Amino acid sequence: MRFPGFIDVHVHLREPGGAHKEDWDTGTSAALAGGFTAVLAMPNTNPPLTDDSVLQIVLAIAERKARCDYGLFFGAGSGNVDQAVRSADRVAGLKMYLDQTFGPLRLDEMLTWGEHFDKWPKHKPVAVHAESRSLAAVLFMASLYGRPIHICHVSRREEILMIRKAREKGLPVTCEVCPHHLFLTHADMDRLGPGRSEVRPRLAAQKDQDALWDNLDVIDVFATDHAPHSGAEKDGPDPPPGFPGLETAVPLFITAVHQGRLTYDDLVYRLFTRPMQIFGLESFQDTFIEVDPYSKWEIRSDQLFSKSAWTPFEGMNVQGRVRRVVIRGAEAFKDGNVLAPPGFGRNVVKF
Ligand code: NCD
Ligand code: ZN
């Protein structure tokens, strides 16, 4: 079965500063193995991507190492509104962290949100991490500034219902949901153990997961929030939150199609059509993936390209395997082998 090249709008590739967790080579290899031809990389690197000098550094790393296509997010900070605006043309969007998570980018001061909303170019998306009451606050602030926003990794019933309501009121809000919130809940935490079940937003209750499925029509995008950390870090005394997800998402979704919970059209809409529309990305000819929808296999961490080398879906039986990935006419992945060399990937941000 052939699909357009899927696009993951939320991944963490960890360079600079965290290459022991993942680097642009291993992360984009994982993307290809997972059926993604393009990824949008988050700015919570070390140093974070909050100024032009770091933007130059990450663009150079990506140009040298990316095996799939890519775009970057600029991180909203408290003193970088003008810097962000000057760099806007070279990135896919602005990322605002309004709740605590991995990295130093949380913005507590609501007036700073307002400054970014005021000045960031209207045609470029603003992606926000905003849970629960922060979501209510940011929807209100965005509406005051007439600013379209994209809500990252929605995980709770109250959040998806709030977004539904906001849309009914005509607010320009889009949202994404991650596979781990659609397929895992509190009930999986014992199996995963304390460190390996840490993720932000946290795994939620069954009622939250049910609400995501019941409100599928409100979900614009499926994004992995691929957030690799090493097994040693996850099992250590202060485990960082985050799950790798690039290589397991598409097989999990195809399995859900077999179970009658999704259709193939649902997948194409949320993994290709909406990402392209919301982020206004460059589309390339002859870019597609081929999937064997009937192949049955067991998810195993020793088969992953991601340097993090673990998965919260370990041992799950899935049906559906990515066989071949073609980007701009060239075979980038085939039957378990990554064929695109480092530096093959292109920036999908329209300059
Ligand atoms: C992410 C990470 O590790 O960078 N962790 C996570 O639990 N999702 C941070 C983020 O996505 O906000
Ligand atoms: Zn993230």
Side-chain angles (χ1 to χ4, degrees):
M1 257 185 117
R2 190 176 280 204
F3 296 106
F6 289 150
I7 296 160
D8 190 348
V9 305
H10 191 145
V11 307
H12 300 267
L13 295 179
R14 303 303 189 202
E15 274 188 291
H20 65 286
K21 299 172 192 280
E22 193 80 287
D23 63 40
W24 271 75
D25 180 345
T26 55
T28 55
S29 296
L32 291 172
F36 294 98
T37 55
V39 294
L40 301 185
M42 287 293 162
N44 62 335
T45 47
N46 183 15
L49 202 170
T50 48
D51 65 42
D52 187 64
S53 65
V54 180
L55 174 58
Q56 297 300 338
I57 290 169
V58 184
L59 283 171
I61 294 171
E63 201 174 315
R64 195 158 46 85
K65 297 178 80 169
R67 294 178 189 258
C68 71
D69 293 344
Y70 59 87
L72 306 180
F73 279 97
F74 201 91
S78 49
N80 75 346
V81 176
D82 294 328
Q83 283 253 15
V85 171
R86 280 200 297 279
S87 304
D89 282 351
R90 282 169 295 157
V91 295
L94 181 73
K95 175 70 185 285
M96 292 177 56
Y97 289 88
L98 311 185
D99 285 298
Q100 197 50 52
T101 185
F102 183 70
L105 289 177
R106 174 170 168 169
L107 287 179
D108 281 325
E109 178 54 68
M110 277 195 284
L111 291 177
T112 308
W113 312 359
E115 283 172 44
H116 281 290
F117 285 160
D118 194 29
K119 294 203 170 149
W120 182 253
K122 279 283 184 302
H123 67 279
K124 282 270 168 177
V126 175
V128 295
H129 171 183
E131 302 179 37
S132 192
R133 283 163 172 73
S134 307
L135 175 59
V138 79
L139 284 172
F140 182 68
M141 286 294 273
S143 79
L144 291 183
Y145 286 88
R147 155 68 58 188
I149 50 173
H150 175 76
I151 311 298
C152 298
H153 39 51
V154 175
S155 65
R156 295 187 187 87
R157 181 169 186 269
E158 62 179 20
E159 294 164 357
I160 197 73
L161 294 180
M162 207 188 304
I163 293 168
R164 173 178 285 289
K165 202 77 192 161
R167 282 244 268 265
E168 283 167 12
K169 294 275 178 198
L171 295 186
V173 51
T174 56
C175 72
E176 74 194 26
V177 170
C178 305
H180 47 273
H181 294 123
L182 287 167
F183 298 110
L184 302 175
T185 63
H186 286 161
D188 294 284
M189 292 174 72
D190 275 353
R191 174 180 60 84
L192 291 169
R196 294 192 184 217
S197 57
E198 282 291 344
V199 66
R200 297 293 175 279
R202 290 189 164 84
L203 292 181
Q206 189 61 52
K207 73 162 177 29
D208 295 303
Q209 187 183 75
D210 292 345
L212 298 177
W213 286 99
D214 290 345
N215 291 277
L216 198 63
D217 60 318
V218 182
I219 301 172
D220 296 278
V221 171
F222 292 143
T224 67
D225 190 10
H226 178 79
H229 299 283
S230 73
E233 288 167 330
K234 296 295 279 180
D235 296 336
D238 188 17
F243 292 163
L246 278 166
E247 293 166 83
T248 43
V250 169
L252 288 165
F253 286 132
I254 293 177
T255 305
V257 172
H258 291 301
Q259 293 165 346
R261 308 178 83 188
L262 286 174
T263 65
Y264 288 118
D265 284 348
D266 285 330
L267 290 193
V268 173
Y269 182 74
R270 291 174 182 78
L271 292 169
F272 172 72
T273 313
R274 289 302 277 152
M276 289 293 276
Q277 288 170 344
I278 294 168
F279 291 91
L281 305 174
E282 192 92 57
S283 72
F284 293 114
Q285 296 283 308
D286 298 323
T287 298
F288 59 87
I289 68 170
E290 283 172 7
V291 162
D292 175 352
Y294 297 108
S295 168
K296 290 188 177 174
W297 57 290
E298 182 189 321
I299 293 177
R300 292 218 330 254
S301 52
D302 60 6
Q303 296 175 346
L304 301 174
F305 286 89
S306 170
K307 208 185 272 188
S308 57
W310 77 281
T311 164
F313 302 105
E314 179 83 43
M316 276 197 188
N317 292 304
V318 287
Q319 188 173 16
R321 199 188 269 274
V322 177
R323 286 284 182 218
R324 192 162 164 256
V325 175
V326 174
I327 301 180
R328 288 174 264 109
E331 245 175 15
F333 175 87
K334 193 173 183 199
D335 291 330
N337 297 304
V338 173
L339 303 176
F344 173 78
R346 289 216 205 138
N347 199 327
V348 288
V349 174
K350 285 186 184 156
F351 290 92

